[in-house]
Amino acid sequence: MKELLLIRYGEIALKGKNISVFQKKFTKNIKKAVANIEEVSVIDNYGRVYVEHLKEDFDRVVSAVTKVFGVVSVSPAIRVDNDIEKIKLAALEEVRRLMVEEGAKTFKIETRRTNKGFPYKTPEINQMVGGFVNQSIEELKVDVNNPDILLTLEIRNHTFMFSKRIKGLGGMPYGSAGKGMLLLSGGIDSPVAGYLMARRGLELGAVHFHSYPFTSERALEKVIDLAKKLTDYTINIKIHSINILEIQKAISEHCPSEEMTIISRVFMMKIAEKIATKMDCKCLITGENLGQVASQTMEGLTVTNSLVAMPVLRPLIAYDKVEIIEIAKQIDTFDISILPYEDCCTVFLPKRVVTKPRLEKIEASIALLDVEGLIERAIELQEVIIVSEGEVLELKSE
Ligand code: ATP
Ligand code: MG
């Protein structure tokens, strides 16, 4: 008899011909998630993935596995040989344990037999195992409608036995949809946007813009702390940290002051797009949300959209702030995001901002600047920070 954690995935199963690519990625991601836990092994047994583990580390295994995208639910389970006598005894022991631990008084056995070579049919197995357990424990009753213990037997090349389901995050295996470049500010929204797209299978890179020395070192540390939280799900994130002070100065010198915010945003998008292309990313991801702030009107979004060629994914576009905050709390980024360090956007904040910018007008203003030169210099001076499993792995200029 072996103790293990059964893992269920959802949508991957709908992938038709590509299923094996998705399954491989999924199993690999589970392996990565438990790589630091001693003496666990991940087994992929004909579409049934499970982790064999030591009992002591059980909570750690559950917590690591339920953070892997694609996992719909997990069940602590035991595995026994396909021998009806062994199955009966294991079921009895399992029900006894649950009675003690949870004060259960009623039970039901439910069988799924995918192994058609097993000599008994499903109703027979239910009856044999259920009857045996029922006779062996006097104070226990069968309840087919609402049992305290629903013990499921899954008969494959072994028999798996479980009674609990712990929910996972769902989604698609991380990296199965290619790469995306997240514009990561220190705010509440962008980490949530990154999380949501990562959950759909996009591998994340990140670009952060600052205006050092107008913005402090702490502002960058805040972004690194946010990225650390995201590595709970992504394992690694490479942050490209870009100083846009020179660009902001140029805008404030040559362009109408009320266009500062929107033009800065255009530069951010263009720089992010350049880096994304170099890093083999197929899209940009932002935390933009319709109507949240002055720059996030349909007109504002139209301008930023029109000036980059790469698709810009805005997973939060239709969310209410309270919904975004709920996810931020769930992924533990909220408390970091609300720390009061200045954002580069606040440095040159004009008294009045255009809320309905017109593309032609913004393009005319931008034409007054040496766009390519400014972008190239900013990228040349970038710093790259690699965050891995909650730690800064490397800090270098590139
Ligand atoms: P957030 O909470 O993510 O900062 P926000 O509500 O403050 O968003 P804006 O400041 O208008 O909204 O930014 C919209 C989006 O633009 C952000 O979600 C982020 O993707 C990107 N962005 C803004 N500032 C920066 C920055 N300094 N570095 C990287 N990306 C940024
Ligand atoms: Mg912001």
Side-chain angles (χ1 to χ4, degrees), residues 182-191 193 207-210 223 244 261 265 268-269 285-289 292-293 295-296 316 321 337 343-345:
L182 171 66
L183 282 82
L184 183 61
S185 69
I188 296 169
D189 303 332
S190 44
V207 195
H208 172 67
F209 300 96
H210 62 86
V223 168
I244 52 163
T261 309
R265 191 56 50 84
M268 285 187 193
M269 292 283 204
I285 305 162
T286 75
E288 286 167 306
N289 170 271
Q292 195 182 83
V293 290
S295 60
Q296 295 176 27
L316 302 182
K321 194 75 189 185
S337 291
D343 184 26
C344 62
C345 308

Side-chain angles (χ1 to χ4, degrees), residues 156 161 196 286 295 374:
R156 295 175 167 252
M161 213 172 273
L196 289 176
T286 75
S295 60
L374 286 166

Side-chain angles (χ1 to χ4, degrees), residues 65-79:
V65 171
T66 48
K67 283 188 179 133
V68 175
F69 295 132
V71 173
V72 170
S73 68
V74 297
S75 289
I78 51 176
R79 190 186 68 199

Side-chain angles (χ1 to χ4, degrees), residues 169 188-200 285-293 296 301 313-331:
L169 298 167
I188 296 169
D189 303 332
S190 44
V192 173
Y195 165 79
L196 289 176
M197 290 324 303
R199 202 178 67 161
R200 288 311 301 170
I285 305 162
T286 75
E288 286 167 306
N289 170 271
L290 190 61
Q292 195 182 83
V293 290
Q296 295 176 27
L301 296 175
L313 304 184
R314 302 176 168 92
L316 302 182
I317 199 74
Y319 279 56
D320 282 355
K321 194 75 189 185
V322 284
E323 294 166 332
I324 300 171
I325 289 174
E326 207 173 290
I327 304 173
K329 286 185 174 163
Q330 184 195 318
I331 62 172

Side-chain angles (χ1 to χ4, degrees), residues 95 104-110 126-127 129-150:
V95 171
K105 295 193 172 60
T106 59
F107 83 111
K108 176 185 173 182
I109 302 284
E110 182 184 77
N126 285 339
Q127 213 165 42
V129 178
F132 177 73
V133 172
N134 201 25
Q135 278 161 21
S136 308
I137 312 175
E138 207 176 303
E139 62 274 29
L140 189 73
K141 298 230 159 9
V142 174
D143 181 346
V144 289
N145 296 317
N146 191 21
D148 296 337
I149 303 167
L150 175 63

